[in-house]
mmCIF file with all atom_site columns, all heavy atoms in Angstrom:
data_model
loop_
_atom_site.group_PDB
_atom_site.id
_atom_site.type_symbol
_atom_site.label_atom_id
_atom_site.label_alt_id
_atom_site.label_comp_id
_atom_site.label_asym_id
_atom_site.label_entity_id
_atom_site.label_seq_id
_atom_site.pdbx_PDB_ins_code
_atom_site.Cartn_x
_atom_site.Cartn_y
_atom_site.Cartn_z
_atom_site.occupancy
_atom_site.B_iso_or_equiv
_atom_site.pdbx_formal_charge
_atom_site.auth_seq_id
_atom_site.auth_comp_id
_atom_site.auth_asym_id
_atom_site.auth_atom_id
_atom_site.pdbx_PDB_model_num
ATOM 1   N N   . SER X 1 59  ? 117.632 178.391 42.378 1.00 0.00 ? 59  SER X N   1
ATOM 2   C CA  . SER X 1 59  ? 117.983 176.990 42.584 1.00 0.00 ? 59  SER X CA  1
ATOM 3   C C   . SER X 1 59  ? 116.709 176.154 42.672 1.00 0.00 ? 59  SER X C   1
ATOM 4   O O   . SER X 1 59  ? 115.606 176.687 42.709 1.00 0.00 ? 59  SER X O   1
ATOM 5   C CB  . SER X 1 59  ? 118.770 176.841 43.880 1.00 0.00 ? 59  SER X CB  1
ATOM 6   O OG  . SER X 1 59  ? 117.953 177.175 44.966 1.00 0.00 ? 59  SER X OG  1
ATOM 7   N N   . LYS X 1 68  ? 112.578 171.015 53.513 1.00 0.00 ? 68  LYS X N   1
ATOM 8   C CA  . LYS X 1 68  ? 113.078 171.604 52.273 1.00 0.00 ? 68  LYS X CA  1
ATOM 9   C C   . LYS X 1 68  ? 112.265 171.044 51.126 1.00 0.00 ? 68  LYS X C   1
ATOM 10  O O   . LYS X 1 68  ? 111.973 169.855 51.077 1.00 0.00 ? 68  LYS X O   1
ATOM 11  C CB  . LYS X 1 68  ? 114.535 171.212 52.088 1.00 0.00 ? 68  LYS X CB  1
ATOM 12  C CG  . LYS X 1 68  ? 115.442 172.115 52.822 1.00 0.00 ? 68  LYS X CG  1
ATOM 13  C CD  . LYS X 1 68  ? 116.745 172.322 52.084 1.00 0.00 ? 68  LYS X CD  1
ATOM 14  C CE  . LYS X 1 68  ? 117.508 173.425 52.769 1.00 0.00 ? 68  LYS X CE  1
ATOM 15  N NZ  . LYS X 1 68  ? 118.203 172.990 53.959 1.00 0.00 ? 68  LYS X NZ  1
ATOM 16  N N   . ASP X 1 87  ? 118.870 165.867 54.690 1.00 0.00 ? 87  ASP X N   1
ATOM 17  C CA  . ASP X 1 87  ? 118.942 164.963 53.554 1.00 0.00 ? 87  ASP X CA  1
ATOM 18  C C   . ASP X 1 87  ? 119.678 165.598 52.386 1.00 0.00 ? 87  ASP X C   1
ATOM 19  O O   . ASP X 1 87  ? 119.910 166.794 52.356 1.00 0.00 ? 87  ASP X O   1
ATOM 20  C CB  . ASP X 1 87  ? 117.526 164.571 53.128 1.00 0.00 ? 87  ASP X CB  1
ATOM 21  C CG  . ASP X 1 87  ? 116.950 163.540 54.066 1.00 0.00 ? 87  ASP X CG  1
ATOM 22  O OD1 . ASP X 1 87  ? 117.742 162.735 54.565 1.00 0.00 ? 87  ASP X OD1 1
ATOM 23  O OD2 . ASP X 1 87  ? 115.748 163.568 54.305 1.00 0.00 ? 87  ASP X OD2 1
ATOM 24  N N   . GLU X 1 94  ? 117.566 163.771 41.757 1.00 0.00 ? 94  GLU X N   1
ATOM 25  C CA  . GLU X 1 94  ? 117.757 162.632 40.862 1.00 0.00 ? 94  GLU X CA  1
ATOM 26  C C   . GLU X 1 94  ? 116.672 161.583 41.039 1.00 0.00 ? 94  GLU X C   1
ATOM 27  O O   . GLU X 1 94  ? 116.353 160.866 40.099 1.00 0.00 ? 94  GLU X O   1
ATOM 28  C CB  . GLU X 1 94  ? 119.137 162.015 41.080 1.00 0.00 ? 94  GLU X CB  1
ATOM 29  C CG  . GLU X 1 94  ? 120.281 162.907 40.648 1.00 0.00 ? 94  GLU X CG  1
ATOM 30  C CD  . GLU X 1 94  ? 120.049 163.518 39.278 1.00 0.00 ? 94  GLU X CD  1
ATOM 31  O OE1 . GLU X 1 94  ? 119.934 162.775 38.295 1.00 0.00 ? 94  GLU X OE1 1
ATOM 32  O OE2 . GLU X 1 94  ? 119.966 164.754 39.184 1.00 0.00 ? 94  GLU X OE2 1
ATOM 33  N N   . GLU X 1 137 ? 113.920 150.657 44.424 1.00 0.00 ? 137 GLU X N   1
ATOM 34  C CA  . GLU X 1 137 ? 114.415 149.872 43.301 1.00 0.00 ? 137 GLU X CA  1
ATOM 35  C C   . GLU X 1 137 ? 115.363 150.725 42.488 1.00 0.00 ? 137 GLU X C   1
ATOM 36  O O   . GLU X 1 137 ? 114.983 151.743 41.957 1.00 0.00 ? 137 GLU X O   1
ATOM 37  C CB  . GLU X 1 137 ? 113.226 149.445 42.441 1.00 0.00 ? 137 GLU X CB  1
ATOM 38  C CG  . GLU X 1 137 ? 113.618 148.667 41.236 1.00 0.00 ? 137 GLU X CG  1
ATOM 39  C CD  . GLU X 1 137 ? 114.475 147.496 41.632 1.00 0.00 ? 137 GLU X CD  1
ATOM 40  O OE1 . GLU X 1 137 ? 113.959 146.569 42.234 1.00 0.00 ? 137 GLU X OE1 1
ATOM 41  O OE2 . GLU X 1 137 ? 115.689 147.506 41.316 1.00 0.00 ? 137 GLU X OE2 1
ATOM 42  N N   . ASP X 1 151 ? 100.746 144.004 34.603 1.00 0.00 ? 151 ASP X N   1
ATOM 43  C CA  . ASP X 1 151 ? 99.786  144.478 33.607 1.00 0.00 ? 151 ASP X CA  1
ATOM 44  C C   . ASP X 1 151 ? 99.360  143.336 32.702 1.00 0.00 ? 151 ASP X C   1
ATOM 45  O O   . ASP X 1 151 ? 98.182  143.097 32.476 1.00 0.00 ? 151 ASP X O   1
ATOM 46  C CB  . ASP X 1 151 ? 100.420 145.562 32.733 1.00 0.00 ? 151 ASP X CB  1
ATOM 47  C CG  . ASP X 1 151 ? 100.254 146.929 33.364 1.00 0.00 ? 151 ASP X CG  1
ATOM 48  O OD1 . ASP X 1 151 ? 99.599  146.981 34.430 1.00 0.00 ? 151 ASP X OD1 1
ATOM 49  O OD2 . ASP X 1 151 ? 100.776 147.911 32.820 1.00 0.00 ? 151 ASP X OD2 1
ATOM 50  N N   . LEU X 1 153 ? 99.639  140.105 33.053 1.00 0.00 ? 153 LEU X N   1
ATOM 51  C CA  . LEU X 1 153 ? 98.873  139.084 33.739 1.00 0.00 ? 153 LEU X CA  1
ATOM 52  C C   . LEU X 1 153 ? 97.424  139.497 33.859 1.00 0.00 ? 153 LEU X C   1
ATOM 53  O O   . LEU X 1 153 ? 96.513  138.717 33.680 1.00 0.00 ? 153 LEU X O   1
ATOM 54  C CB  . LEU X 1 153 ? 99.464  138.864 35.124 1.00 0.00 ? 153 LEU X CB  1
ATOM 55  C CG  . LEU X 1 153 ? 100.120 137.508 35.312 1.00 0.00 ? 153 LEU X CG  1
ATOM 56  C CD1 . LEU X 1 153 ? 100.970 137.523 36.549 1.00 0.00 ? 153 LEU X CD1 1
ATOM 57  C CD2 . LEU X 1 153 ? 99.056  136.440 35.380 1.00 0.00 ? 153 LEU X CD2 1
ATOM 58  N N   . GLN X 1 154 ? 97.290  140.777 34.171 1.00 0.00 ? 154 GLN X N   1
ATOM 59  C CA  . GLN X 1 154 ? 95.937  141.260 34.331 1.00 0.00 ? 154 GLN X CA  1
ATOM 60  C C   . GLN X 1 154 ? 95.173  141.213 33.034 1.00 0.00 ? 154 GLN X C   1
ATOM 61  O O   . GLN X 1 154 ? 94.032  140.780 32.996 1.00 0.00 ? 154 GLN X O   1
ATOM 62  C CB  . GLN X 1 154 ? 95.975  142.689 34.850 1.00 0.00 ? 154 GLN X CB  1
ATOM 63  C CG  . GLN X 1 154 ? 96.279  142.703 36.309 1.00 0.00 ? 154 GLN X CG  1
ATOM 64  C CD  . GLN X 1 154 ? 96.513  144.099 36.791 1.00 0.00 ? 154 GLN X CD  1
ATOM 65  O OE1 . GLN X 1 154 ? 96.223  145.044 36.064 1.00 0.00 ? 154 GLN X OE1 1
ATOM 66  N NE2 . GLN X 1 154 ? 97.035  144.228 37.982 1.00 0.00 ? 154 GLN X NE2 1
ATOM 67  N N   . LEU L 2 35  ? 92.877  142.617 38.417 1.00 0.00 ? 35  LEU L N   1
ATOM 68  C CA  . LEU L 2 35  ? 92.988  143.997 37.979 1.00 0.00 ? 35  LEU L CA  1
ATOM 69  C C   . LEU L 2 35  ? 92.297  144.939 38.972 1.00 0.00 ? 35  LEU L C   1
ATOM 70  O O   . LEU L 2 35  ? 92.826  145.993 39.337 1.00 0.00 ? 35  LEU L O   1
ATOM 71  C CB  . LEU L 2 35  ? 92.320  144.112 36.607 1.00 0.00 ? 35  LEU L CB  1
ATOM 72  C CG  . LEU L 2 35  ? 92.679  145.324 35.781 1.00 0.00 ? 35  LEU L CG  1
ATOM 73  C CD1 . LEU L 2 35  ? 94.172  145.426 35.615 1.00 0.00 ? 35  LEU L CD1 1
ATOM 74  C CD2 . LEU L 2 35  ? 92.013  145.214 34.412 1.00 0.00 ? 35  LEU L CD2 1
ATOM 75  N N   . ARG L 2 38  ? 94.117  145.278 42.272 1.00 0.00 ? 38  ARG L N   1
ATOM 76  C CA  . ARG L 2 38  ? 95.260  146.190 42.275 1.00 0.00 ? 38  ARG L CA  1
ATOM 77  C C   . ARG L 2 38  ? 94.803  147.625 42.502 1.00 0.00 ? 38  ARG L C   1
ATOM 78  O O   . ARG L 2 38  ? 95.380  148.366 43.290 1.00 0.00 ? 38  ARG L O   1
ATOM 79  C CB  . ARG L 2 38  ? 96.026  146.088 40.958 1.00 0.00 ? 38  ARG L CB  1
ATOM 80  C CG  . ARG L 2 38  ? 97.302  146.865 40.996 1.00 0.00 ? 38  ARG L CG  1
ATOM 81  C CD  . ARG L 2 38  ? 98.310  146.348 40.026 1.00 0.00 ? 38  ARG L CD  1
ATOM 82  N NE  . ARG L 2 38  ? 97.998  146.764 38.669 1.00 0.00 ? 38  ARG L NE  1
ATOM 83  C CZ  . ARG L 2 38  ? 98.931  147.149 37.803 1.00 0.00 ? 38  ARG L CZ  1
ATOM 84  N NH1 . ARG L 2 38  ? 100.196 147.152 38.148 1.00 0.00 ? 38  ARG L NH1 1
ATOM 85  N NH2 . ARG L 2 38  ? 98.604  147.497 36.598 1.00 0.00 ? 38  ARG L NH2 1
ATOM 86  N N   . VAL L 2 72  ? 101.623 137.697 41.430 1.00 0.00 ? 72  VAL L N   1
ATOM 87  C CA  . VAL L 2 72  ? 101.202 139.092 41.375 1.00 0.00 ? 72  VAL L CA  1
ATOM 88  C C   . VAL L 2 72  ? 100.389 139.456 42.612 1.00 0.00 ? 72  VAL L C   1
ATOM 89  O O   . VAL L 2 72  ? 100.563 140.529 43.194 1.00 0.00 ? 72  VAL L O   1
ATOM 90  C CB  . VAL L 2 72  ? 100.389 139.336 40.095 1.00 0.00 ? 72  VAL L CB  1
ATOM 91  C CG1 . VAL L 2 72  ? 99.963  140.787 40.025 1.00 0.00 ? 72  VAL L CG1 1
ATOM 92  C CG2 . VAL L 2 72  ? 101.208 138.972 38.888 1.00 0.00 ? 72  VAL L CG2 1
ATOM 93  N N   . ARG L 2 110 ? 112.519 140.773 48.001 1.00 0.00 ? 110 ARG L N   1
ATOM 94  C CA  . ARG L 2 110 ? 112.794 142.182 48.240 1.00 0.00 ? 110 ARG L CA  1
ATOM 95  C C   . ARG L 2 110 ? 111.602 142.840 48.924 1.00 0.00 ? 110 ARG L C   1
ATOM 96  O O   . ARG L 2 110 ? 111.760 143.593 49.878 1.00 0.00 ? 110 ARG L O   1
ATOM 97  C CB  . ARG L 2 110 ? 113.094 142.880 46.930 1.00 0.00 ? 110 ARG L CB  1
ATOM 98  C CG  . ARG L 2 110 ? 113.771 144.199 47.117 1.00 0.00 ? 110 ARG L CG  1
ATOM 99  C CD  . ARG L 2 110 ? 113.882 144.931 45.821 1.00 0.00 ? 110 ARG L CD  1
ATOM 100 N NE  . ARG L 2 110 ? 112.598 145.455 45.438 1.00 0.00 ? 110 ARG L NE  1
ATOM 101 C CZ  . ARG L 2 110 ? 112.113 145.425 44.213 1.00 0.00 ? 110 ARG L CZ  1
ATOM 102 N NH1 . ARG L 2 110 ? 112.816 144.871 43.266 1.00 0.00 ? 110 ARG L NH1 1
ATOM 103 N NH2 . ARG L 2 110 ? 110.942 145.921 43.951 1.00 0.00 ? 110 ARG L NH2 1
ATOM 104 N N   . TYR L 2 189 ? 122.789 154.159 36.781 1.00 0.00 ? 189 TYR L N   1
ATOM 105 C CA  . TYR L 2 189 ? 121.964 155.316 36.543 1.00 0.00 ? 189 TYR L CA  1
ATOM 106 C C   . TYR L 2 189 ? 122.882 156.365 35.931 1.00 0.00 ? 189 TYR L C   1
ATOM 107 O O   . TYR L 2 189 ? 123.830 156.798 36.589 1.00 0.00 ? 189 TYR L O   1
ATOM 108 C CB  . TYR L 2 189 ? 121.367 155.800 37.861 1.00 0.00 ? 189 TYR L CB  1
ATOM 109 C CG  . TYR L 2 189 ? 120.593 157.086 37.750 1.00 0.00 ? 189 TYR L CG  1
ATOM 110 C CD1 . TYR L 2 189 ? 119.298 157.092 37.246 1.00 0.00 ? 189 TYR L CD1 1
ATOM 111 C CD2 . TYR L 2 189 ? 121.154 158.292 38.134 1.00 0.00 ? 189 TYR L CD2 1
ATOM 112 C CE1 . TYR L 2 189 ? 118.605 158.268 37.134 1.00 0.00 ? 189 TYR L CE1 1
ATOM 113 C CE2 . TYR L 2 189 ? 120.459 159.462 38.025 1.00 0.00 ? 189 TYR L CE2 1
ATOM 114 C CZ  . TYR L 2 189 ? 119.179 159.456 37.522 1.00 0.00 ? 189 TYR L CZ  1
ATOM 115 O OH  . TYR L 2 189 ? 118.488 160.630 37.420 1.00 0.00 ? 189 TYR L OH  1
ATOM 116 N N   . TYR L 2 278 ? 124.788 175.680 46.360 1.00 0.00 ? 278 TYR L N   1
ATOM 117 C CA  . TYR L 2 278 ? 124.041 175.522 47.600 1.00 0.00 ? 278 TYR L CA  1
ATOM 118 C C   . TYR L 2 278 ? 124.567 174.317 48.385 1.00 0.00 ? 278 TYR L C   1
ATOM 119 O O   . TYR L 2 278 ? 124.798 174.396 49.595 1.00 0.00 ? 278 TYR L O   1
ATOM 120 C CB  . TYR L 2 278 ? 122.554 175.354 47.306 1.00 0.00 ? 278 TYR L CB  1
ATOM 121 C CG  . TYR L 2 278 ? 121.782 174.918 48.505 1.00 0.00 ? 278 TYR L CG  1
ATOM 122 C CD1 . TYR L 2 278 ? 121.531 175.802 49.537 1.00 0.00 ? 278 TYR L CD1 1
ATOM 123 C CD2 . TYR L 2 278 ? 121.344 173.601 48.628 1.00 0.00 ? 278 TYR L CD2 1
ATOM 124 C CE1 . TYR L 2 278 ? 120.853 175.392 50.655 1.00 0.00 ? 278 TYR L CE1 1
ATOM 125 C CE2 . TYR L 2 278 ? 120.668 173.192 49.744 1.00 0.00 ? 278 TYR L CE2 1
ATOM 126 C CZ  . TYR L 2 278 ? 120.419 174.086 50.757 1.00 0.00 ? 278 TYR L CZ  1
ATOM 127 O OH  . TYR L 2 278 ? 119.764 173.673 51.880 1.00 0.00 ? 278 TYR L OH  1
ATOM 128 N N   . LYS L 2 282 ? 126.328 174.056 52.053 1.00 0.00 ? 282 LYS L N   1
ATOM 129 C CA  . LYS L 2 282 ? 125.821 173.163 53.082 1.00 0.00 ? 282 LYS L CA  1
ATOM 130 C C   . LYS L 2 282 ? 126.955 172.303 53.643 1.00 0.00 ? 282 LYS L C   1
ATOM 131 O O   . LYS L 2 282 ? 127.058 172.114 54.855 1.00 0.00 ? 282 LYS L O   1
ATOM 132 C CB  . LYS L 2 282 ? 124.727 172.287 52.479 1.00 0.00 ? 282 LYS L CB  1
ATOM 133 C CG  . LYS L 2 282 ? 123.834 171.658 53.491 1.00 0.00 ? 282 LYS L CG  1
ATOM 134 C CD  . LYS L 2 282 ? 122.663 170.962 52.828 1.00 0.00 ? 282 LYS L CD  1
ATOM 135 C CE  . LYS L 2 282 ? 122.096 169.934 53.776 1.00 0.00 ? 282 LYS L CE  1
ATOM 136 N NZ  . LYS L 2 282 ? 121.051 169.138 53.159 1.00 0.00 ? 282 LYS L NZ  1
ATOM 137 N N   . ASP L 2 310 ? 118.810 184.261 45.427 1.00 0.00 ? 310 ASP L N   1
ATOM 138 C CA  . ASP L 2 310 ? 118.026 183.124 45.912 1.00 0.00 ? 310 ASP L CA  1
ATOM 139 C C   . ASP L 2 310 ? 118.064 183.077 47.442 1.00 0.00 ? 310 ASP L C   1
ATOM 140 O O   . ASP L 2 310 ? 119.133 182.943 48.041 1.00 0.00 ? 310 ASP L O   1
ATOM 141 C CB  . ASP L 2 310 ? 118.607 181.824 45.343 1.00 0.00 ? 310 ASP L CB  1
ATOM 142 C CG  . ASP L 2 310 ? 117.628 180.684 45.492 1.00 0.00 ? 310 ASP L CG  1
ATOM 143 O OD1 . ASP L 2 310 ? 116.753 180.777 46.373 1.00 0.00 ? 310 ASP L OD1 1
ATOM 144 O OD2 . ASP L 2 310 ? 117.742 179.717 44.734 1.00 0.00 ? 310 ASP L OD2 1
#
Side-chain angles (χ1 to χ4, degrees):
Chain X
S59 65
K68 276 214 170 80
D87 283 327
E94 292 313 298
E137 178 54 70
D151 273 357
L153 248 165
Q154 283 172 12
Chain L
L35 198 55
R38 188 156 77 140
V72 181
R110 197 188 74 222
Y189 174 79
Y278 169 73
K282 199 172 159 186
D310 196 337

